[in-house]
Amino acid sequence: MKKTYLIISSILFFTQITVYAQSEQKHRFDIELQSGYEYNYFKSPTEVRQNGILFNADSLIASSSYQDIKADYDYRIKWGANRLRFSATPFVRYFNEASDDSYWSFLGSVKYDTKLSRTTKILAELSLKRMNREGLDGAQDVLINPLGYTKYGASTGIEFALLKRNKSTVEGFYNFKNFDAFGVQDLQYNEFGIRIKSVQSFYVGKRKHSYGGTITANKRLYTTFNASNIDSEGERDWDYVKASIFYELPFSKEIEIKPSLIYYQRIDNLLDRSGFTQYGPSLAIKYASAKTKVRGKISYLTRDYKTLQARDNNGLIGENIQYTYADISISAEHRILKNLYATASLYSRVRNTNFTDIDARSFRAYRNQYMGVGVRWKF
């Protein structure tokens, strides 16, 4: 028996060694430092009245210069038809003028895929994200959402080709998000859903064009806990449907644009109160040369609440709440040495709304923007 055990163990050991020796492995490690300035990082309105006292922007809006530190490690191993990928991305934003508002995050994932045929793969992923941040999110609605949370995710699916030069995926996913306790409130949700994506490519001359779309349907079951034992509505049952279509258009070897349309709906199954529809266009632009890469995106989205009504300082105005989001993001890098890059980033979100009651903080308009420059090393 002992001899048989040794033989089996030796076979397994040498099989693993052979697979490892024949595998293709890649490591990538980057570290980036950026310095910049962020305006209104808690997304506060410009004025709020509480207990008859009016607080203006000087009291509400927190802004500061910052220092970002970001590392990104990626390890890939491939053997036969199998591929396994590990990634870890820690991030720190330190606010120079308000160090207590500084925060860090960590994102880690494990991805696996295996080829069943030339066009078919089985996909699986596990992920973890930790956001360690304190402070009330001024963008919150209905539920009190602290900024800090821990999120666990899992997904599995299949990738296949419906036609020639087609790539389609069907994935099921599950997420559990546990927000950090805020005051007497604690909040968490379970989420599960399905995502379908299809991309069709074709060539015009030597340039590759692509078009496609994504449909996601998911359910979130929220639970709130009240540490003061005061009865409150402690559950939410929200369904989400999101659909987008896009077209990737190459103008030249270096420049590509990607216009898209987005539709997003939330359905409140319990209270029929917090549902909304959100829709609008976006445009992504990509420039890539031998030394320089620039990615930018602009979007304009409108959110219409189904039931919640807007107010001004005199009360209800006879309209449901509406938001408009104007978003801009740009990231750029330029190689200055073999493994050294100059980097820059810019972000802007402006939310306008017809909800202007200065006695409320939720549902209000705000502006959040930041810009930074720095360097990135590849090791």
Side-chain angles (χ1 to χ4, degrees):
M1 183 70 181
K2 184 176 181 180
K3 183 177 180 181
T4 302
Y5 175 78
L6 289 173
I7 293 173
I8 294 174
S9 299
S10 298
I11 292 173
L12 291 174
F13 175 77
F14 285 109
T15 299
Q16 292 176 351
I17 292 295
T18 302
V19 169
Y20 188 81
Q22 294 178 347
S23 64
E24 177 185 341
Q25 302 169 60
K26 292 182 179 180
H27 296 264
R28 179 179 60 80
F29 178 67
D30 300 348
I31 188 166
E32 182 175 359
L33 304 177
Q34 271 202 7
S35 297
Y37 185 84
E38 182 170 3
Y39 170 80
N40 193 15
Y41 50 75
F42 284 140
K43 302 176 183 176
S44 295
T46 56
E47 58 181 1
V48 170
R49 184 169 58 197
Q50 294 181 346
N51 301 319
I53 301 173
L54 183 65
F55 297 87
N56 58 25
D58 292 338
S59 303
L60 297 170
I61 293 177
S63 304
S64 174
S65 60
Y66 65 79
Q67 178 66 56
D68 283 354
I69 304 173
K70 179 181 179 181
D72 188 10
Y73 175 72
D74 186 83
Y75 170 69
R76 303 184 181 196
I77 180 171
K78 184 177 181 181
W79 70 100
N82 305 283
R83 182 172 59 169
L84 191 61
R85 293 173 287 173
F86 300 88
S87 67
T89 308
F91 171 83
V92 174
R93 175 160 289 186
Y94 180 82
F95 290 113
N96 299 311
E97 283 78 53
S99 58
D100 289 344
D101 294 335
S102 304
Y103 61 93
W104 62 265
S105 66
F106 175 83
L107 176 62
S109 68
V110 180
K111 297 180 181 180
Y112 171 78
D113 63 74
T114 183
K115 282 188 175 183
L116 301 182
S117 67
R118 186 178 63 86
T119 59
T120 306
K121 292 181 182 179
I122 297 296
L123 311 171
E125 179 179 358
L126 296 173
S127 63
L128 164 67
K129 184 172 183 179
R130 171 60 188 161
M131 174 63 75
N132 193 70
R133 187 176 188 184
E134 296 181 356
L136 180 64
D137 183 357
Q140 53 101 1
D141 56 77
V142 182
L143 295 170
I144 295 177
N145 288 352
L147 295 175
Y149 63 85
T150 303
K151 183 178 181 181
Y152 307 91
S155 67
T156 185
I158 185 170
E159 178 185 297
F160 55 96
L162 293 170
L163 302 167
K164 185 179 180 181
R165 299 195 183 100
N166 175 268
K167 180 184 289 187
S168 299
T169 57
V170 177
E171 293 181 288
F173 61 87
Y174 170 80
N175 294 307
F176 173 73
K177 191 171 185 178
N178 185 17
F179 293 90
D180 295 348
F182 181 82
V184 298
Q185 296 288 332
D186 197 1
L187 169 69
Q188 66 183 36
Y189 70 69
N190 289 278
E191 176 183 44
F192 47 91
I194 187 170
R195 182 183 301 111
I196 302 172
K197 181 178 181 180
S198 185
V199 180
Q200 182 67 48
S201 301
F202 64 96
Y203 284 85
V204 177
K206 294 184 178 180
R207 295 177 185 170
K208 182 180 177 182
H209 295 237
S210 299
Y211 62 91
T214 303
I215 298 176
T216 304
N218 57 290
K219 178 182 285 291
R220 286 184 185 175
L221 298 173
Y222 284 86
T223 305
T224 60
F225 305 94
N226 196 319
S228 66
N229 295 321
I230 298 174
D231 291 336
S232 63
E233 296 173 345
E235 295 181 354
R236 298 288 188 271
D237 181 350
W238 290 346
D239 291 337
Y240 292 84
V241 178
K242 185 175 183 180
S244 64
I245 56 174
F246 68 87
Y247 190 97
E248 294 180 353
L249 175 63
F251 276 115
S252 65
K253 184 179 179 181
E254 293 84 13
I255 300 175
E256 179 182 275
I257 67 169
K258 182 181 177 181
S260 61
L261 290 173
I262 299 168
Y263 176 83
Y264 186 39
Q265 182 177 12
R266 181 167 77 187
I267 303 167
D268 186 342
N269 294 307
L270 294 182
L271 302 176
D272 194 23
R273 177 174 180 267
S274 301
F276 63 73
T277 57
Q278 184 168 301
Y279 49 89
S282 71
L283 177 65
I285 302 173
K286 180 172 68 175
Y287 172 84
S289 66
K291 289 188 175 183
T292 304
K293 294 181 180 179
V294 180
R295 291 180 180 270
K297 186 176 181 179
I298 58 175
S299 63
Y300 186 83
L301 302 177
T302 299
R303 177 183 293 189
D304 294 321
Y305 278 87
K306 178 182 177 182
T307 304
L308 290 174
Q309 295 188 10
R311 301 198 309 263
D312 60 16
N313 297 333
N314 297 316
L316 297 175
I317 64 173
E319 300 175 1
N320 290 344
I321 296 174
Q322 183 182 80
Y323 296 157
T324 60
Y325 292 93
D327 294 349
I328 301 174
S329 62
I330 299 173
S331 63
E333 67 174 41
H334 177 74
R335 191 175 70 194
I336 51 181
L337 294 174
K338 182 179 179 180
N339 295 313
L340 182 64
Y341 297 78
T343 65
S345 61
L346 180 146
Y347 172 83
S348 173
R349 163 166 283 185
V350 177
R351 183 173 85 174
N352 290 310
T353 178
N354 58 353
F355 194 103
T356 58
D357 183 1
I358 63 174
D359 289 315
R361 179 182 177 94
S362 301
F363 302 106
R364 300 287 301 283
Y366 67 82
R367 178 164 60 95
N368 171 233
Q369 296 163 322
Y370 64 80
M371 181 175 66
V373 293
V375 292
R376 180 163 63 92
W377 291 271
K378 286 187 176 182
F379 297 95

